Amino acid sequence: MLVFVGFTISAICKGLIYGFALYKKEEIEKKELLLRLVAASFTVILIVDLLMNTAWLMIINGKAFFVILSSRILIEIIMLPVQVTTMFILINALKPTIKKYLSEENE
């Protein structure tokens, strides 16, 4: 069985981008969090989803890059607000649990 590692590289890049954008020891205000989420999600969509993943699909399927890209652009434009909204709601909902866990860890 042949394994293609391109999508694994893409997943690592996504984690790194979100990690660099959202990591901060002190608490982030909601407005700053929203701006960071928009910037991180836009960067992930542009670099990873549109460029890298399209290149991996081109290698796997043998189709032209721009043929695959043209069908993916609309999907990614629609997914940007969905991703940002979902992450914003989840992060704010989980803040009390995360604070409790981190305060127990520091003691």
Side-chain angles (χ1 to χ4, degrees):
M1 182 171 114
L2 184 63
V3 178
F4 184 74
V5 297
F7 295 109
T8 304
I9 295 168
S10 293
I12 292 168
C13 290
K14 278 185 180 188
L16 288 172
I17 292 169
Y18 282 120
F20 284 128
L22 299 177
Y23 177 76
K24 190 172 183 182
K25 289 235 180 215
E26 58 271 2
E27 189 166 338
I28 303 170
E29 294 179 22
K30 287 188 177 187
K31 185 177 181 180
E32 184 182 353
L33 174 63
L34 187 60
L35 290 173
R36 286 178 180 214
L37 283 172
V38 169
S41 295
F42 182 76
T43 304
V44 164
I45 284 174
L46 184 66
I47 295 173
V48 179
D49 294 339
L50 287 178
L51 295 178
M52 292 174 68
N53 286 350
T54 304
W56 307 143
L57 289 171
M58 179 190 72
I59 292 169
I60 291 171
N61 296 330
K63 293 183 181 177
F65 183 84
F66 290 106
V67 171
I68 300 170
L69 182 66
S70 64
S71 66
R72 295 173 54 88
I73 289 176
L74 181 61
I75 295 167
E76 298 302 337
I77 290 171
I78 293 169
M79 287 305 297
L80 179 64
V82 173
Q83 287 177 354
V84 170
T85 304
T86 304
M87 285 189 287
F88 186 74
I89 290 169
L90 282 173
I91 289 171
N92 284 315
L94 293 173
K95 267 186 185 179
T97 307
I98 293 169
K99 281 183 184 179
K100 180 182 173 187
Y101 174 75
L102 289 176
S103 66
E104 287 176 1
E105 188 177 274
N106 290 334
E107 293 176 358

